[in-house]
Amino acid sequence: MKDLSREIWKALESLRGSVTADQAIEVLLYDAALHMGMPESESDRTHREWISLKDADAYAELADSRAALLFASPSERLAAIDDLLSRQARADRGVVWISHLPAKRIAELAGDADKVRCAFDAALHPALLLSQQGKSVRFISADYAASQLAIMISTIIEAQLDVVTANPFSRTDEGQFDAEIIMSPFGLRISSGADIPKSTLSVLGENERSRRLSSDPVAVADGLQSPCPRVVVSVYDAMMFRGVGVEPIAREALVESGRLQAVLSVPSGMVFPHTGIATSLLVLGSEGTGPLNVRFVNLSDDRFAGKTVRGRREVKPASSWLEALHANLSDEQRFAADVPVSAIREKDYTLSLERYLLPPAVIAVEAFLSSRRARHLEDVVELIRPLSMGKEEDGEFMIREAVPGDIGDSDFLEEPKKETLIERAQLRKARNQRLAPGDLLLSVKGTIGSVALVPAEAAVDGESGFWTAGQSFMILRPKKSEISSVALYEYLSSGSVKEALRSLAYGAGIPTISIKDLKEFRIPVPSAEEEDEVVAAFQDRQDRLAEVRTILESIEHARDASWPHRELQRARA
């Protein structure tokens, strides 16, 4: 099949200068579809591009490409078309194309359905694969270019595909189906709900006058309105945990519907290689009494994914996403977890894989805590959330604001390098987040889990020059009756505990730990004997580090006293 693709590409290369690479592919498909009996569409943009080449010398090369494509079998034609379209980033042409293996895995999630509705551009390739299997398939998209592409490819591969150009969310197309695949564009703003059924909007607590909807929660509500016994909905990963707009309402409605059977967590680039967006596939079952458990599947696991030379995870050819929904799980298998609906309720309907499929380090932390007296973090420390200080060019007071880069190799925070001028009106706010010796700084945004102790020499006096913390941190001020600063630092600086903290983070761009999750993070309370042991070990480490620093300083002095450093320093002086 690669030979066929190379032959086609070689012929299309000759069209450069007449049309772009994307246009050349679409003109080829249009020309091939015409030869397979598709009527001409004179109003179509691709028709006009085809006409411009029809009487040109380059058309002979186009004809050679078409002949090579149509000489192959229908399945080989689709494979060659997939290779052509997968090479192009097609966002500028308005069509999203999923390559063969992820499209095949998504199509398989339809199960044994005979009639399938595939909604939105990204569902086109799964729709074509299902139609090749002899299933009755409808492809519906509001995008005219996607509809035309669907007609052209289905004609070329000799597949029966019912193509409808309409907003899939409007549910204006009639028909009964056994399964649906809904793959709406991620994060698309929906300016008005006028063409969305009231029953869909009511799931989200909205009405037809809404102006703040986006495609992902609407896709969830739309899937819940489908009567099909199997519905697959793709959403971007942030939809699984964010508290933005109606997203939490959509998740709660999904869980409480009893229809959610599985959440498949897809690593970034596996389905949509031209973006870095991590996605989730939601699998819904029939209406009525739903399952007591929801299966969470990690498609980043080695049984499903392999790394490419670009570091992106790609689908393993021998894997099966459908089988993962029903596979028996043992204690040793960490690719999936069956989570009770009651546990999802307790986590405020968060559907992030990381909350339920725990990494080994998190399991180790849980085992450590199970045999000890543990308290929530909010019970053992005062949590102080730093606020933005702003910046005044003519401010009369200077503060030093700590950032993650001020956490060095030592256990202590280094003197913050960032100096910020503020006015007296801001001084009270700055004082409220003034760092004191013994405080801990914990990074809860960006580089999650970095932690440092505030040293005894931290500036605390006066109205100027004292240390504060930036908004990437949370200030932890231990309550002395519970745990010492040193013992808390030793626990939080453990690699396993840092990984446990990172498992709580959310955010598609900059990971962040919510204040609620941080407050509920469990901390072991050491006994008096353990406290003494921790403090003694910490002090011994500091003494040894001081000796190492002295040795390193003497080595540096010796270096400066030797040639050529000695002469160069004299010349510079």
Side-chain angles (χ1 to χ4, degrees), residues 354-405:
E354 293 78 9
R355 295 300 178 91
Y356 308 106
L357 192 60
L358 302 178
V362 179
I363 296 174
V365 170
E366 291 295 325
F368 175 78
L369 291 173
S370 66
S371 61
R372 296 177 169 273
R373 176 172 167 252
R375 303 285 302 277
H376 288 151
L377 184 62
E378 65 176 342
D379 295 328
V380 300
V381 303
E382 177 188 357
L383 291 110
I384 303 170
R385 173 183 281 178
L387 303 175
S388 174
M389 289 292 101
K391 187 176 182 180
E392 298 291 342
E393 296 295 337
D394 299 325
E396 55 182 314
F397 303 100
M398 185 272 289
I399 59 173
R400 294 185 178 276
E401 185 177 329
V403 297

XYZ file of all heavy atoms in Angstrom, residues 354-405:
413
model
N -6.561 9.785 36.559
C -5.561 9.815 37.621
C -6.176 9.712 39.014
O -5.485 9.361 39.975
C -4.724 11.103 37.522
C -3.841 11.196 36.287
C -4.621 11.594 35.046
O -5.811 11.966 35.185
O -4.039 11.529 33.939
N -7.475 10.033 39.135
C -8.110 9.970 40.446
C -8.452 8.540 40.856
O -8.691 8.282 42.033
C -9.383 10.814 40.444
C -9.129 12.294 40.253
C -8.237 12.824 41.372
N -7.926 14.223 41.201
C -8.643 15.208 41.718
N -9.722 14.930 42.426
N -8.278 16.459 41.528
N -8.484 7.638 39.902
C -8.978 6.296 40.188
C -7.985 5.186 39.834
O -8.001 4.130 40.453
C -10.295 6.064 39.444
C -11.294 7.165 39.697
C -11.575 8.122 38.725
C -11.930 7.275 40.928
C -12.487 9.137 38.965
C -12.837 8.294 41.181
C -13.112 9.228 40.192
O -13.998 10.245 40.438
N -7.175 5.420 38.834
C -6.172 4.433 38.449
C -4.828 4.929 38.983
O -4.109 5.663 38.319
C -6.129 4.255 36.928
C -5.343 3.058 36.393
C -5.925 1.756 36.923
C -5.345 3.052 34.881
N -4.511 4.547 40.202
C -3.397 5.148 40.918
C -2.063 4.565 40.468
O -1.929 3.340 40.317
C -3.560 4.929 42.417
C -4.855 5.484 43.030
C -4.905 5.152 44.513
C -4.963 6.982 42.806
N -1.029 5.411 40.285
C 0.305 4.904 39.973
C 0.911 4.212 41.191
O 0.466 4.425 42.329
C 1.082 6.176 39.601
C 0.328 7.296 40.219
C -1.100 6.877 40.260
N 1.948 3.389 40.987
C 2.547 2.635 42.097
C 2.989 3.509 43.274
O 2.831 3.114 44.430
C 3.743 1.942 41.434
C 3.348 1.810 40.001
C 2.543 3.032 39.693
N 3.534 4.686 42.983
C 3.996 5.563 44.064
C 2.840 5.997 44.948
O 2.973 6.081 46.172
C 4.706 6.784 43.481
N 1.699 6.270 44.344
C 0.529 6.689 45.119
C 0.021 5.528 45.972
O -0.389 5.722 47.128
C -0.577 7.202 44.182
C -1.809 7.611 44.976
C -0.065 8.390 43.366
N 0.055 4.331 45.421
C -0.353 3.156 46.186
C 0.571 2.965 47.391
O 0.125 2.625 48.493
C -0.345 1.909 45.284
C -1.392 2.057 44.173
C -0.597 0.649 46.089
C -1.359 0.949 43.153
N 1.873 3.210 47.178
C 2.833 3.095 48.278
C 2.534 4.109 49.377
O 2.635 3.797 50.573
C 4.254 3.279 47.750
N 2.171 5.333 48.992
C 1.827 6.361 49.971
C 0.587 5.953 50.760
O 0.524 6.102 51.995
C 1.613 7.725 49.279
C 1.010 8.745 50.243
C 2.924 8.253 48.724
N -0.416 5.430 50.050
C -1.639 4.996 50.727
C -1.346 3.875 51.716
O -1.902 3.850 52.828
C -2.660 4.526 49.680
C -3.225 5.648 48.821
C -4.052 6.635 49.623
O -4.740 6.211 50.580
O -3.991 7.837 49.325
N -0.475 2.947 51.350
C -0.116 1.848 52.247
C 0.626 2.385 53.479
O 0.402 1.923 54.607
C 0.749 0.832 51.505
N 1.492 3.359 53.265
C 2.230 3.970 54.376
C 1.277 4.656 55.351
O 1.397 4.528 56.573
C 3.238 4.967 53.809
C 3.984 5.760 54.852
C 5.032 5.196 55.554
C 3.626 7.072 55.117
C 5.721 5.928 56.516
C 4.302 7.809 56.084
C 5.359 7.231 56.777
N 0.295 5.359 54.820
C -0.644 6.093 55.667
C -1.616 5.177 56.383
O -2.133 5.525 57.454
C -1.423 7.101 54.816
C -0.620 8.292 54.251
C -1.484 9.096 53.286
C -0.110 9.182 55.369
N -1.895 4.016 55.796
C -2.911 3.131 56.368
C -2.549 2.627 57.757
O -3.429 2.280 58.550
C -3.159 1.942 55.428
O -1.997 1.127 55.340
N -1.258 2.576 58.072
C -0.818 2.049 59.367
C -0.439 3.156 60.340
O 0.179 2.890 61.371
C 0.371 1.106 59.154
O 1.453 1.799 58.558
N -0.816 4.406 60.007
C -0.408 5.532 60.831
C -1.563 6.459 61.124
O -2.570 6.461 60.417
C 0.711 6.332 60.128
C 1.980 5.533 59.952
C 3.037 6.304 59.206
N 4.309 5.601 59.284
C 5.185 5.742 60.273
N 4.908 6.599 61.251
N 6.305 5.077 60.295
N -1.386 7.253 62.144
C -2.342 8.318 62.429
C -2.117 9.421 61.399
O -1.021 9.944 61.263
C -2.123 8.861 63.842
C -3.009 10.049 64.198
C -2.878 10.398 65.671
N -3.460 11.691 65.958
C -2.772 12.784 66.235
N -1.440 12.731 66.278
N -3.378 13.921 66.492
N -3.157 9.744 60.660
C -3.032 10.736 59.589
C -4.108 11.801 59.738
O -5.214 11.530 60.214
C -3.127 10.065 58.224
N -3.766 13.001 59.336
C -4.695 14.127 59.382
C -4.717 14.797 58.018
O -3.775 14.697 57.226
C -4.242 15.158 60.432
C -4.083 14.622 61.838
C -5.406 14.389 62.520
N -6.223 15.599 62.585
C -6.081 16.544 63.525
N -5.161 16.414 64.473
N -6.872 17.605 63.531
N -5.806 15.514 57.729
C -5.833 16.327 56.520
C -4.856 17.483 56.658
O -4.626 17.976 57.777
C -7.243 16.865 56.267
C -8.199 15.809 55.820
N -9.543 15.866 56.077
C -8.009 14.655 55.119
C -10.143 14.814 55.561
N -9.227 14.067 54.971
N -4.313 17.918 55.538
C -3.321 18.998 55.565
C -3.874 20.247 56.249
O -3.157 20.932 56.993
C -2.865 19.317 54.135
C -1.759 20.373 54.004
C -0.491 19.915 54.697
C -1.469 20.673 52.531
N -5.151 20.564 56.002
C -5.721 21.764 56.599
C -5.795 21.672 58.120
O -5.935 22.697 58.794
C -7.118 22.030 56.031
C -8.155 20.986 56.379
C -9.539 21.349 55.886
O -9.772 22.541 55.585
O -10.378 20.438 55.775
N -5.699 20.454 58.681
C -5.745 20.285 60.129
C -4.379 20.474 60.782
O -4.308 20.699 62.000
C -6.280 18.894 60.483
C -7.725 18.701 60.052
O -8.477 19.693 60.062
O -8.098 17.564 59.694
N -3.318 20.362 60.002
C -1.976 20.441 60.594
C -1.232 21.712 60.209
O -0.190 22.011 60.787
C -1.129 19.206 60.212
C -1.784 17.930 60.711
C -0.875 19.136 58.715
N -1.760 22.462 59.229
C -1.103 23.715 58.840
C -2.154 24.786 58.587
O -3.334 24.496 58.357
C -0.249 23.560 57.552
C 0.800 22.484 57.700
C -1.126 23.304 56.337
N -1.695 26.017 58.642
C -2.493 27.132 58.140
C -2.101 27.320 56.673
O -0.916 27.463 56.360
C -2.195 28.399 58.934
C -2.927 29.624 58.418
C -2.475 30.913 59.088
O -1.628 30.847 60.008
O -2.950 31.982 58.664
N -3.085 27.259 55.788
C -2.810 27.425 54.357
C -3.028 28.881 53.971
O -4.098 29.437 54.213
C -3.711 26.515 53.523
C -3.424 25.019 53.639
C -4.546 24.327 54.379
C -3.253 24.405 52.268
N -2.018 29.474 53.369
C -2.087 30.873 52.940
C -1.887 30.909 51.435
O -0.821 30.516 50.933
C -1.015 31.723 53.645
C -1.174 31.613 55.170
C -1.107 33.174 53.195
C -0.028 32.225 55.945
N -2.900 31.357 50.744
C -2.811 31.427 49.276
C -2.298 32.806 48.875
O -2.950 33.824 49.120
C -4.172 31.172 48.647
C -4.189 31.403 47.144
C -5.572 31.223 46.568
N -5.900 29.822 46.403
C -7.069 29.381 45.941
N -8.004 30.248 45.630
N -7.300 28.097 45.796
N -1.120 32.891 48.244
C -0.590 34.198 47.824
C -1.469 34.855 46.763
O -1.998 34.176 45.874
C 0.789 33.847 47.253
C 1.131 32.529 47.856
C -0.167 31.800 47.984
N -1.616 36.157 46.868
C -2.359 36.936 45.900
C -1.399 37.730 45.039
O -0.245 37.979 45.423
C -3.330 37.888 46.616
C -4.340 37.233 47.557
C -5.145 38.300 48.288
C -5.265 36.304 46.792
N -1.860 38.151 43.887
C -1.027 38.954 42.999
C -0.783 40.332 43.616
O -1.714 41.002 44.065
C -1.706 39.104 41.634
O -0.971 39.985 40.813
N 0.474 40.731 43.634
C 0.833 42.027 44.204
C 0.769 43.162 43.185
O 0.732 44.319 43.545
C 2.256 41.969 44.770
C 2.393 41.132 46.029
S 1.556 41.852 47.442
C 0.075 40.876 47.476
N 0.749 42.795 41.913
C 0.838 43.850 40.907
C 2.244 44.427 40.895
O 3.172 43.898 41.511
N 2.401 45.525 40.216
C 3.714 46.155 40.127
C 3.544 47.648 39.913
O 2.760 48.072 39.077
C 4.525 45.549 38.971
C 5.966 46.020 38.902
C 6.713 45.300 37.791
C 8.169 45.735 37.735
N 8.917 45.045 36.671
N 4.263 48.426 40.701
C 4.215 49.879 40.582
C 5.617 50.390 40.289
O 6.548 50.172 41.067
C 3.683 50.506 41.881
C 2.263 50.102 42.232
C 1.239 50.680 41.275
O 1.575 51.646 40.570
O 0.113 50.157 41.229
N 5.779 51.066 39.162
C 7.102 51.568 38.789
C 7.642 52.557 39.804
O 8.849 52.647 40.043
C 7.029 52.228 37.392
C 6.678 51.264 36.270
C 7.760 50.216 36.060
O 8.913 50.465 36.437
O 7.424 49.133 35.531
N 6.744 53.308 40.433
C 7.166 54.325 41.393
C 6.846 53.915 42.824
O 6.722 54.770 43.712
C 6.473 55.661 41.075
C 6.837 56.168 39.688
O 7.996 55.955 39.269
O 5.962 56.768 39.022
N 6.669 52.620 43.078
C 6.333 52.161 44.422
C 7.426 52.501 45.419
O 8.625 52.485 45.098
N 7.025 52.786 46.641
C 8.000 53.193 47.658
C 8.501 52.025 48.492
O 9.450 52.182 49.269
C 7.388 54.249 48.574
C 6.069 53.837 49.230
C 5.484 54.950 50.082
O 6.254 55.545 50.861
O 4.266 55.211 49.950
N 7.859 50.859 48.369
C 8.267 49.699 49.137
C 8.686 48.570 48.197
O 8.083 48.382 47.146
C 7.144 49.223 50.058
C 6.648 50.271 51.008
C 5.486 50.970 50.734
C 7.362 50.566 52.161
C 5.029 51.940 51.596
C 6.911 51.537 53.034
C 5.745 52.243 52.751
N 9.732 47.845 48.613
C 10.226 46.728 47.801
C 10.004 45.421 48.562
O 10.289 45.328 49.761
C 11.708 46.903 47.486
C 12.276 45.832 46.539
S 12.892 44.361 47.406
C 14.371 45.040 48.181
N 9.476 44.426 47.866
C 9.351 43.087 48.441
C 10.075 42.097 47.535
O 10.260 42.336 46.338
C 7.874 42.662 48.611
C 7.150 42.679 47.255
C 7.164 43.549 49.617
C 5.734 42.112 47.325
N 10.496 40.993 48.124
C 11.145 39.920 47.363
C 10.143 38.781 47.209
O 9.698 38.211 48.204
C 12.410 39.437 48.062
C 13.504 40.492 48.120
C 14.776 39.916 48.711
N 15.839 40.901 48.722
C 16.638 41.165 47.681
N 16.482 40.483 46.558
N 17.578 42.081 47.767
N 9.786 38.483 45.975
C 8.732 37.504 45.705
C 9.333 36.196 45.205
O 9.989 36.151 44.162
C 7.754 38.058 44.668
C 6.570 37.171 44.402
C 5.597 37.805 43.413
O 5.495 39.053 43.393
O 4.954 37.051 42.663
N 9.131 35.120 45.969
C 9.704 33.817 45.627
C 8.975 33.187 44.445
O 7.748 33.238 44.351
C 9.640 32.888 46.833
N 9.738 32.580 43.548
C 9.215 31.832 42.408
C 9.841 30.438 42.454
O 10.826 30.218 43.180
C 9.543 32.536 41.075
C 8.879 33.897 41.011
C 11.053 32.677 40.879
N 9.288 29.454 41.700
C 9.841 28.090 41.766
C 11.338 28.012 41.497
O 12.016 27.133 42.042
C 9.029 27.345 40.695
C 7.695 28.036 40.712
C 8.023 29.488 40.932
N 11.868 28.940 40.685
C 13.302 28.912 40.410
C 14.164 29.208 41.614
O 15.375 28.951 41.598
